[in-house]
Structure formats: structure tokens, C-alpha cells
């Protein structure tokens, strides 16, 4: 019996492609773009930095003003409760501080705002804490609208936007919990029973019902609608994850959440561009900005000179004042036009961050600068953010290596690539983000899990 010799590669005919139906076209740019915005929540690292930045900004502000809280927003404020009530009635603004003029109620709201800012910064129950953070920010700021600066307006807007984003995909306790559940599922173990989520949902529900019935949600329609949609959708998420975790309805919910996140991220980017464009063009119309002397005047005002010697040194140099004045205008006007050129955009982004750091140092406006830097972070390249996260992790590990044994063991167990890794990320998640992220600033790492815990108000 003769065994036939294997055919040479040249003798094997290539596989034939299936015939394309008449009129059919290969998937082009629009199809890929639609798939991209519906299949994943883009910019996970950028949205995480925005979440951490704005939560930290308002947290530090509230902590700094603890000794002055009654005079700024409480019962001892010159803008007393009755004036605030008249103003909120006139402009349909929302503030839970208008529900009562009691000092105890003010302290409760102030404490809840502090705690929600802390939890949001850490990424614990991100969806719920983002709602409480929004309510706290709106309540405190609308109580005394004359106490603040331009940074407050940015925090005000971003607190609303964060509610619609999936900003807990990375660098959060929610991401750690989601990865833990995914690993248990891969090992055939049941997920850890969630108690906190249902408790939060049950506690917040009657508050929302009472506030709606008593007309305590302001005079606008969008805020009650937003709060009710979020509260009801949390129950839907919980039920679907419990009974149909791999069903089509679960996939539909993911698509809707991704669309809301990506649309909100685009709005945040447009908001930052609008801020810089309007600021730059208004500066062009000012005579002091035109002749290059605008920076000189705030450097000689006592209110804006926390370091008089440094301000005097900078203000004494006419060339430096002119360069910084013109440079500020050029960077602000040019930035929106450079978004499609990564290299130029990144250079101007560094210049703007340095500009805000200088404002914090020279003019004594740290919270305004923190808010603007946090807003600028939405344009930071993913590769840089992944690198920065890795450096922070390495620094933390070196810092904790000198602590007693239990802390060293816990840190070793939390290293990336091992169970319970940094922020719930595995080694593959970090490397995947570095490979796929590029410099576009919106690429999602290829990782499993849902980011934020899809539990009841979780």
C-alpha cells in the first residue's frame, strides 16, 4: 500500500471567500464607530482621573472651610436662610439646605457631602456616591451662590456630568470588587452576597419619594427625572444581574450605559474647550491683555499675593510679565484647534496644567486650579495615565515595605497581576491598556468585568 505524499503548499488551492451579496458593502468607518461607542465605555482612565480630581477638590475645600462653614453656608451666613430661600424660589435652584434652617440639618448635609466626596474619590459605590456628591455640591453652592469663584462653576457642572459616566472602571474599590467577583465566577464559586447596595437603595428610596411629594427637588424638571431614573435603573440592574446575567436584556443595559458614558465624556471635552475658547477670546478684547500687562495687576493686589516676595520678583520683570500674558492668551485660544494633533495638543496641555499650578501658587487660588487641572485630565493620553498609575503603585509598595509584617503581606497580595491587585486590576489589564490605549485618550483597556459593581445602588 502506497501512502500518498502530502501536497506541496503551492498545490493547495487557496480557500474561496464567500460571495458577498449584491449591494453589500464591507463594514466601514460609521459601522466601526457605532460598534465602538456601544460596546465599551471609552476613556476609563480619563474618567477615573476626572472623578478623583473633582471629588478631591471639593473634599479639600470642605475640609479647609470646616471652621468657617457656618459663616459661609450655614445659619450664621450674611446671606441668611430667608434670602437664600427667596433666591432659590426665584431661579428654581435646588438645595436640600432649604428644607430646614436647623443647624443640625446643616451639619448633617455638610457631613454627608464630605463623606460622599471621600467615597467617590476612592471609588466606593461609585454610582450612588456620585449622586450624593451631586446633591451635596448643588445644595452647598446654591445655599450661598456669592461664596466662590470660577472653579465652583466647573465643579458644579462636573458633579452633574459624573453621575452619567462609568467612572469607576479602574482605580476604584468598585473595580477591585468586580474583579474579585469575576475571579470567583471563573473558579466556579458563587459571588459574594451584596448587602450594602440593597440597603442604600432602600434607605434612599423613601427620601426621594418624600422630596418629590413635598416639592423639595427645585423647580426644574430634569433633576427629579434624573434622580428617579437612576433609582429605578439601579433596581433593574440588580434584578437583571440576579436572574439573567448573560441575557440579551443585560447586554442592552450595557449598551445604554456605554452610550450615556461616551456622550457625557464628549460633553465634558466640549465643556473644557468652551471654557478655554471663551476665556481666550474675551482676553483678546481686553486692552491690558493686548498690551501684555494684564498679569502685572493681580500680582500687586494683596488679596492675590500669598507670597509677596515671589509676586514682586515676577512682577518686576517686564519681559516675563509680557511673555506670560501673551502665552496665556495664545494657549487658551489655540487649544481647541489642536485636539486632532496629538503632539501639539499634549504640549499645550502641559502648558495649561503648568499655568494653573502657577495660578495656585502665585495668586492663592488652589481649588480653582485643582478643578481646572482635573478638567484638563480628560485629554491626557492613556499611555501616560497607565504609566503614572504604575509609578504610584511602585512607590506605594516601596513605602509600605518598611512597615510591619502584616502590612507587607497585604501589599504583596495586592500587587498587580495577583488576586486583589491594585484597584482590582490584573497584570493583563494594565498591559492591555498600555498596548491598546495609544495616545488618543479614549481607548478602553481590554479587560473583563463591569467596572462599577452592577448591584442595587452599587
Amino acid at each position: 500500500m502506497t501512502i500518498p505524499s502530502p501536497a506541496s503548499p503551492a498545490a493547495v488551492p487557496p480557500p474561496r471567500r464567500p460571495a458577498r451579496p449584491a449591494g453589500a458593502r464591507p463594514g466601514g468607518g460609521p459601522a466601526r464607530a457605532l460598534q465602538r461607542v456601544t460596546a465599551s465605555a471609552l476613556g476609563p482612565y480619563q474618567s477615573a482621573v476626572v472623578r478623583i480630581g473633582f471629588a478631591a477638590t471639593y473634599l479639600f475645600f470642605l475640609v479647609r472651610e470646616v471652621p468657617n462653614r457656618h459663616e459661609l453656608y450655614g445659619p450664621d451666613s450674611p446671606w441668611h436662610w430667608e434670602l437664600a430661600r427667596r433666591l432659590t424660589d426665584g431661579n428654581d435652584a435646588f438645595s436640600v439646605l432649604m428644607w430646614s434652617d436647623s443647624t443640625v440639618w446643616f451639619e448633617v448635609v455638610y457631613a454627608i457631602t464630605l463623606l460622599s466626596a471621600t467615597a467617590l474619590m476612592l471609588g466606593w459605590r461609585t454610582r450612588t456616591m456620585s449622586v450624593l456628591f451631586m446633591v451635596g455640591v448643588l445644595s452647598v453652592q446654591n445655599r450661598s451662590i456669592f461664596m466662590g469663584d470660577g472653579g465652583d462653576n466647573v465643579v458644579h457642572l462636573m458633579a452633574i456630568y459624573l453621575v452619567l459616566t462609568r467612572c469607576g472602571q479602574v482605580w476604584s474599590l468598585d473595580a477591585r470588587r468586580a474583579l474579585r467577583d469575576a475571579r470567583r465566577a471563573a473558579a466556579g464559586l458563587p459571588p459574594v452576597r451584596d448587602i450594602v447596595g440593597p440597603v442604600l437603595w432602600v434607605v434612599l428610596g423613601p427620601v426621594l419619594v418624600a422630596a418629590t411629594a413635598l416639592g423639595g427637588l427645585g423647580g426644574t424638571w430634569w433633576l427629579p427625572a434624573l434622580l428617579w431614573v437612576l433609582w429605578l435603573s439601579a433596581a433593574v440592574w440588580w434584578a437583571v444581574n440576579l436572574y439573567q446575567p448573560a441575557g440579551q436584556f443585560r447586554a442592552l443595559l450595557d449598551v445604554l450605559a456605554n452610550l450615556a458614558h461616551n456622550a457625557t465624556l464628549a460633553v465634558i471635552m466640549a465643556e473644557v474647550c468652551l471654557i478655554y475658547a471663551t476665556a481666550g477670546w474675551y482676553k483678546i478684547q481686553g486692552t491690558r491683555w493686548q498690551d501684555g500687562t494684564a498679569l502685572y495687576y493681580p500680582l500687586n493686589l494683596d488679596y492675590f499675593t500669598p507670597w509677596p516676595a515671589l509676586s514682586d520678583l515676577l512682577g518686576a520683570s517686564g519681559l516675563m510679565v509680557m511673555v506670560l500674558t501673551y502665552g496665556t492668551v495664545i494657549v487658551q485660544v489655540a487649544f481647541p484647534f489642536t485636539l486632532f494633533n496629538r503632539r501639539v495638543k499634549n504640549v499645550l496641555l502641559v502648558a495649561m496644567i503648568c499655568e494653573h499650578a502657577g495660578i495656585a501658587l502665585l495668586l492663592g487660588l488652589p481649588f480653582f486650579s485643582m478643578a481646572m487641572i482635573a478638567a484638563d485630565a480628560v485629554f491626557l493620553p492613556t499611555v501616560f495615565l497607565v504609566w503614572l498609575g504604575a509609578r504610584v503603585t511602585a512607590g506605594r509598595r516601596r513605602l509600605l515595605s518598611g512597615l510591619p509584617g502584616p502590612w507587607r503581606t497585604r501589599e504583596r497580595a495586592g500587587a498587580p497581576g495577583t488576586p486583589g491587585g491594585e484597584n482590582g486590576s490584573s497584570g493583563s489589564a494594565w498591559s492591555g491598556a498600555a498596548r491598546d490605549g495609544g495616545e488618543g485618550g479614549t481607548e478602553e483597556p481590554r479587560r473583563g468585568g463591569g467596572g462599577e459593581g452592577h448591584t442595587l445602588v452599587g
Side-chain angles (χ1 to χ4, degrees):
M1 179 176 181
T2 304
I3 300 177
S5 60
S8 63
V12 179
R16 298 182 59 185
R17 295 182 179 179
R20 184 180 299 132
R25 296 181 179 179
R32 286 196 299 268
L34 181 61
Q35 172 69 16
R36 183 178 176 82
V37 300
T38 57
S40 62
L42 304 177
Y45 290 96
Q46 288 76 14
S47 56
V49 172
V50 171
R51 181 200 85 228
I52 295 170
F54 279 100
T57 298
Y58 210 64
L59 172 64
F60 296 156
F61 171 76
L62 293 177
V63 170
R64 189 193 71 169
E65 299 300 343
V66 164
N68 309 311
R69 64 190 185 281
H70 287 179
E71 290 76 16
L72 290 176
Y73 304 106
D76 299 332
S77 173
W79 189 255
H80 57 79
W81 188 85
E82 183 60 30
L83 287 175
R85 187 188 63 80
R86 293 179 184 178
L87 182 61
T88 54
D89 289 344
N91 60 11
D92 295 331
F94 163 76
S95 175
V96 298
L97 290 175
M98 294 296 97
W99 294 359
S100 172
D101 60 351
S102 168
T103 303
V104 175
W105 176 242
F106 168 77
E107 297 290 359
V108 169
V109 174
Y110 200 91
I112 291 177
T113 307
L114 271 170
L115 294 175
S116 64
T118 304
L120 183 62
M121 182 179 65
L122 297 175
W124 183 78
R125 304 287 168 173
T126 312
R127 185 67 67 195
T128 307
M129 292 304 118
S130 64
V131 176
L132 293 179
F133 179 71
M134 177 191 71
V135 170
V137 169
L138 298 183
S139 300
V140 173
Q141 290 187 355
N142 290 337
R143 167 62 178 84
S144 298
I145 61 173
F146 303 107
M147 304 293 181
D149 51 35
D152 290 346
N153 296 329
V154 179
V155 175
H156 190 109
L157 292 172
M158 294 300 173
I160 299 174
Y161 297 153
L162 283 174
V163 172
L164 300 175
T165 63
R166 307 181 83 171
C167 54
Q169 299 176 91
V170 296
W171 296 345
S172 68
L173 298 178
D174 286 347
R176 184 188 293 271
R177 189 175 73 250
L179 186 63
R180 178 202 63 193
D181 292 341
R183 285 173 173 162
R184 289 180 62 88
L189 299 175
V192 177
R193 185 180 180 184
D194 180 37
I195 301 298
V196 178
V199 169
L200 288 173
W201 189 84
V202 170
V203 169
L204 295 176
V207 176
L208 180 59
V209 172
T212 304
L214 298 177
L217 296 179
T220 59
W221 64 268
W222 65 267
L223 183 62
L226 175 63
L227 294 177
W228 274 104
V229 167
L230 292 172
W231 187 68
L232 294 175
S233 64
V236 174
W237 270 111
W238 178 82
V240 170
N241 277 281
L242 182 62
Y243 297 108
Q244 291 184 342
Q248 293 184 355
F249 193 62
R250 173 64 169 78
L252 175 62
L253 292 179
D254 257 329
V255 168
L256 295 177
N258 292 335
L259 285 173
H261 168 92
N262 296 330
T264 305
L265 202 62
V267 170
I268 293 175
M269 293 179 178
E271 187 77 33
V272 176
C273 291
L274 184 63
I275 290 173
Y276 284 118
T278 54
W281 286 105
Y282 271 113
K283 286 181 174 68
I284 289 177
Q285 302 175 42
T287 56
R288 296 293 176 263
W289 291 95
Q290 293 174 6
D291 59 26
T293 62
L295 183 63
Y296 174 81
Y297 298 97
L299 290 175
N300 287 274
L301 294 176
D302 293 339
Y303 187 77
F304 293 107
T305 53
W307 312 99
L310 185 59
S311 298
D312 293 341
L313 179 63
L314 182 60
S317 174
L319 177 62
M320 185 61 67
V321 169
M322 183 185 68
V323 169
L324 292 177
T325 301
Y326 286 148
T328 299
V329 176
I330 293 172
V331 168
Q332 291 183 351
V333 173
F335 179 74
F337 300 99
T338 64
L339 295 182
F340 298 102
N341 189 312
R342 293 178 179 177
R343 294 182 179 178
V344 179
K345 181 262 293 183
N346 291 338
V347 171
L348 293 185
L349 195 59
V350 172
M352 289 192 300
I353 292 175
C354 292
E355 172 193 337
H356 291 303
I359 291 174
L361 178 65
L362 294 174
L363 302 184
L365 298 172
F367 301 110
F368 166 79
S369 299
M370 288 181 63
M372 292 308 303
I373 291 174
D376 294 341
V378 74
F379 294 105
L380 289 174
T382 301
V383 170
F384 168 74
L385 292 176
V386 173
W387 173 86
L388 182 63
R391 299 287 78 76
V392 171
T393 301
R396 187 191 66 178
R397 190 175 299 113
R398 285 194 298 268
L399 180 63
L400 296 181
S401 62
L403 295 179
W407 288 97
R408 288 201 304 270
T409 304
R410 184 177 304 175
E411 174 61 22
R412 190 178 303 114
T418 60
E422 168 65 12
N423 297 317
S425 299
S426 65
S428 60
W430 285 97
S431 60
R435 286 193 307 268
D436 301 325
E439 291 222 359
T442 57
E443 193 78 32
E444 183 186 18
R446 305 296 187 257
R447 63 192 295 260
E452 297 156 63
H454 297 311
T455 55
L456 199 58
V457 194

